[in-house]
């Protein structure tokens, strides 16, 4: 009997505790409307950033050395799911991630440590250099005059295949539902053919072969400022999404007519974006993804339009604005 009483005494506080919790969780008369009026905040894990495709320009050039594997990894860690990058070709036909088809004086010194002069950088021609020679250049340790907060570190210009391998590891570790997308710019100008890049058809074939070899043909698009390049890609791969890069124009329809087909994406400098352009792009059923939007005020101005994506050296700033 004594053990029974002890057991009952132990149960009583538990019972009253549960009863109190139940009463507290139920709003009292007059409080119910106030509770229901409070907005439900979205869970961070399901926040969709207005369905805007935030693209990391050259990875995240404002934060890390451009077009480097650390820059791409940092962008992915921030939440970027489309990597914007540029490709060129080496002497031994390797498709390499680089904005210029030469070693820029802004990114690297000569192998003996002396600076590369602005007027001599084209002598360090990647198209005339085997990849084994190119990787000797440290392209991330120099302070960048335009990106003073960029983290400095020793990096090389990676092959497209090496970038994809690193991204694949990230995807596996992060258990992503969808694969990372690649927005790949072919850095070709007609006057570069045979000097700084292969003839245009060979260039396109090498890039498409690299994309196939890396296994990303289903989640990549090609972009270029050069219409001949885009026409060749469209001819060889009709299902490959195309992004038409535009820096400035007085007549977008004339440019589109000259291209000869309607691409999936119209990607212009952000200063071109206005209501008229938005209506024209949407009227042609293209996506509108301006570049390169870096300052917070410009990001806010761009996000006032119904964009499909936004390309930035600072994808973290875009995310900060969207989270406000």
């Amino acid at each position: 009997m004594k053990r029974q009483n002890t057991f009952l005494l132990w149960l009583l506080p538990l019972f009253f505790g549960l009863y109190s919790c139940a009463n507290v969780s139920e709003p009292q008369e007059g409080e119910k409307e106030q509770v229901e009026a409070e907005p439900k905040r979205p869970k961070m894990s399901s926040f969709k950033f207005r369905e805007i495709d935030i693209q990391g320009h050259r990875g995240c050039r404002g934060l890390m050395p451009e077009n480097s594997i650390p820059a791409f990894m940092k962008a992915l860690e921030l939440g970027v799911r489309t990597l914007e990058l540029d490709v060129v070709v080496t002497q031994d036909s390797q498709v390499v991630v680089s904005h210029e088809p030469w070693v820029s004086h802004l990114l690297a010194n000569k192998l003996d440590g002396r600076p590369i002069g602005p007027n001599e950088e084209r002598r360090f021609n990647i198209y005339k250099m085997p990849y084994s020679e190119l990787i000797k250049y440290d392209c991330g340790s120099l302070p960048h005059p335009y990106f003073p907060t960029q983290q400095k570190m020793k990096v090389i210009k990676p092959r497209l295949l090496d970038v994809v391998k690193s991204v694949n590891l990230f995807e596996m570790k992060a258990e992503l539902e969808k694969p990372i997308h690649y927005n790949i710019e072919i850095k070709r100008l007609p006057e570069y053919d045979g000097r700084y890049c292969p003839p245009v058809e060979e260039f396109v074939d090498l890039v498409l072969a690299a994309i196939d070899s890396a296994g990303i043909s289903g989640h990549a698009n090609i972009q270029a400022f050069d219409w001949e390049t885009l026409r060749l890609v469209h001819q060889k791969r009709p299902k490959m999404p195309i992004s038409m890069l535009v820096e400035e124009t007085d007549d977008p329809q004339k440019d589109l007519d000259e291209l000869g087909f309607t691409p999936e994406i119209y990607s212009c400098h952000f200063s071109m974006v206005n209501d008229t352009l938005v209506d024209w792009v949407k009227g042609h059923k293209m996506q509108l993804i301006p570049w390169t939007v870096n300052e917070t005020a410009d990001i806010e101005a761009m996000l006032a339009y119904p964009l499909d994506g936004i390309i930035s050296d600072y994808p973290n700033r875009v995310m900060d604005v969207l989270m406000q």
Side-chain angles (χ1 to χ4, degrees), residues 151-312:
Q151 186 176 339
K152 308 319 299 175
M153 62 181 67
K154 188 174 183 178
V155 298
I156 63 169
K157 289 183 180 291
R159 297 177 304 167
L160 177 62
L161 182 61
D162 297 324
V163 172
V164 174
K165 285 179 179 178
S166 295
V167 172
N168 287 346
L169 287 174
F170 178 91
E171 289 175 329
M172 285 192 296
K173 290 179 181 178
E175 298 181 346
L176 300 182
E177 294 181 6
K178 295 181 180 180
I180 299 301
H181 190 83
Y182 298 84
N183 182 9
I184 302 171
E185 181 180 350
I186 296 180
K187 299 301 294 187
R188 184 259 178 176
L189 293 175
E191 59 267 29
Y192 285 1
D193 286 4
R195 295 177 60 210
Y196 298 109
C197 68
V200 61
E201 187 163 5
E202 181 184 347
F203 198 170
V204 167
D205 287 342
L206 285 169
V207 173
L208 292 177
I211 288 172
D212 291 343
S213 178
I216 58 172
S217 58
H219 45 104
N221 70 267
I222 295 294
Q223 61 175 349
F225 287 98
D226 175 59
W227 301 164
E228 188 176 4
T229 297
L230 295 182
R231 282 194 291 267
L232 271 171
V233 174
H234 184 62
Q235 174 189 326
K236 292 173 180 289
R237 298 289 177 88
K239 294 184 179 180
M240 173 72 74
I242 299 290
S243 178
M244 182 182 189
L245 286 173
V246 182
E247 186 165 10
E248 58 181 353
T249 184
D250 296 325
D251 191 344
Q253 185 61 52
K254 182 180 177 182
D255 292 340
L256 192 62
D257 293 341
E258 184 180 336
L259 179 62
F261 67 95
T262 302
E264 286 71 20
I265 303 163
Y266 190 84
S267 188
C268 61
H269 188 266
F270 76 91
S271 62
M272 292 175 56
V273 177
N274 55 38
D275 290 331
T276 300
L277 183 72
V278 170
D279 290 343
W280 178 82
V281 171
K282 298 305 179 183
H284 285 81
K285 295 182 171 28
M286 294 184 286
Q287 295 181 37
L288 179 57
I289 304 179
W291 54 271
T292 302
V293 196
N294 288 340
E295 301 304 322
T296 298
D298 294 327
I299 293 168
E300 291 173 345
M302 287 298 100
L303 292 176
Y305 293 100
L307 305 178
D308 298 284
I310 188 168
I311 301 173
S312 178

Side-chain angles (χ1 to χ4, degrees), residues 1-288:
M1 187 73 176
K2 186 176 180 182
R3 291 182 63 188
Q4 255 186 329
N5 289 339
T6 303
F7 182 70
L8 286 171
L9 288 171
W10 180 82
L11 278 178
L12 283 173
L14 179 63
F15 171 79
F16 284 116
L18 290 171
Y19 178 79
S20 300
C21 289
N23 282 338
V24 168
S25 63
E26 180 68 25
Q28 300 301 309
E29 193 68 32
E31 296 177 346
K32 192 169 185 179
E33 290 182 7
Q34 180 181 353
V35 172
E36 290 178 347
E38 291 181 359
K40 294 183 179 179
R41 298 181 181 274
K43 294 181 179 179
M44 288 299 297
S45 59
S46 62
F47 197 80
K48 294 185 179 180
F49 293 121
R50 258 188 51 192
E51 299 299 331
I52 290 287
D53 180 18
I54 303 170
Q55 301 195 12
H57 185 241
R58 307 185 200 178
C60 52
R61 182 170 57 152
L63 308 175
M64 306 289 280
E66 68 176 61
N67 278 326
S68 68
I69 288 178
F72 297 126
M73 293 301 101
K74 179 66 175 179
L76 297 180
E77 289 168 7
L78 289 170
V80 166
R81 292 299 174 260
T82 296
L83 298 175
E84 192 276 349
L85 54 88
D86 316 274
V87 290
V88 301
V89 174
T90 62
Q91 185 184 57
D92 49 350
S93 299
Q94 297 295 308
V95 176
V96 173
V97 180
S98 175
H99 184 260
E100 293 84 17
W102 50 76
V103 179
S104 170
H105 76 281
L106 295 175
L107 304 183
N109 286 328
K110 298 175 183 177
L111 295 182
D112 62 9
R114 291 181 298 151
I116 296 174
N119 297 326
E120 62 176 342
E121 62 183 6
R122 295 194 180 203
R123 287 168 40 196
F124 298 84
N125 185 352
I126 293 174
Y127 182 51
K128 303 297 183 182
M129 191 184 300
Y131 187 61
S132 59
E133 181 73 12
L134 178 60
I135 60 175
K136 295 177 182 178
Y137 290 89
D138 173 6
C139 295
S141 294
L142 289 182
H144 201 296
Y146 307 132
F147 301 97
T149 60
Q150 184 187 89
Q151 186 176 339
K152 308 319 299 175
M153 62 181 67
K154 188 174 183 178
V155 298
I156 63 169
K157 289 183 180 291
R159 297 177 304 167
L160 177 62
L161 182 61
D162 297 324
V163 172
V164 174
K165 285 179 179 178
S166 295
V167 172
N168 287 346
L169 287 174
F170 178 91
E171 289 175 329
M172 285 192 296
K173 290 179 181 178
E175 298 181 346
L176 300 182
E177 294 181 6
K178 295 181 180 180
I180 299 301
H181 190 83
Y182 298 84
N183 182 9
I184 302 171
E185 181 180 350
I186 296 180
K187 299 301 294 187
R188 184 259 178 176
L189 293 175
E191 59 267 29
Y192 285 1
D193 286 4
R195 295 177 60 210
Y196 298 109
C197 68
V200 61
E201 187 163 5
E202 181 184 347
F203 198 170
V204 167
D205 287 342
L206 285 169
V207 173
L208 292 177
I211 288 172
D212 291 343
S213 178
I216 58 172
S217 58
H219 45 104
N221 70 267
I222 295 294
Q223 61 175 349
F225 287 98
D226 175 59
W227 301 164
E228 188 176 4
T229 297
L230 295 182
R231 282 194 291 267
L232 271 171
V233 174
H234 184 62
Q235 174 189 326
K236 292 173 180 289
R237 298 289 177 88
K239 294 184 179 180
M240 173 72 74
I242 299 290
S243 178
M244 182 182 189
L245 286 173
V246 182
E247 186 165 10
E248 58 181 353
T249 184
D250 296 325
D251 191 344
Q253 185 61 52
K254 182 180 177 182
D255 292 340
L256 192 62
D257 293 341
E258 184 180 336
L259 179 62
F261 67 95
T262 302
E264 286 71 20
I265 303 163
Y266 190 84
S267 188
C268 61
H269 188 266
F270 76 91
S271 62
M272 292 175 56
V273 177
N274 55 38
D275 290 331
T276 300
L277 183 72
V278 170
D279 290 343
W280 178 82
V281 171
K282 298 305 179 183
H284 285 81
K285 295 182 171 28
M286 294 184 286
Q287 295 181 37
L288 179 57

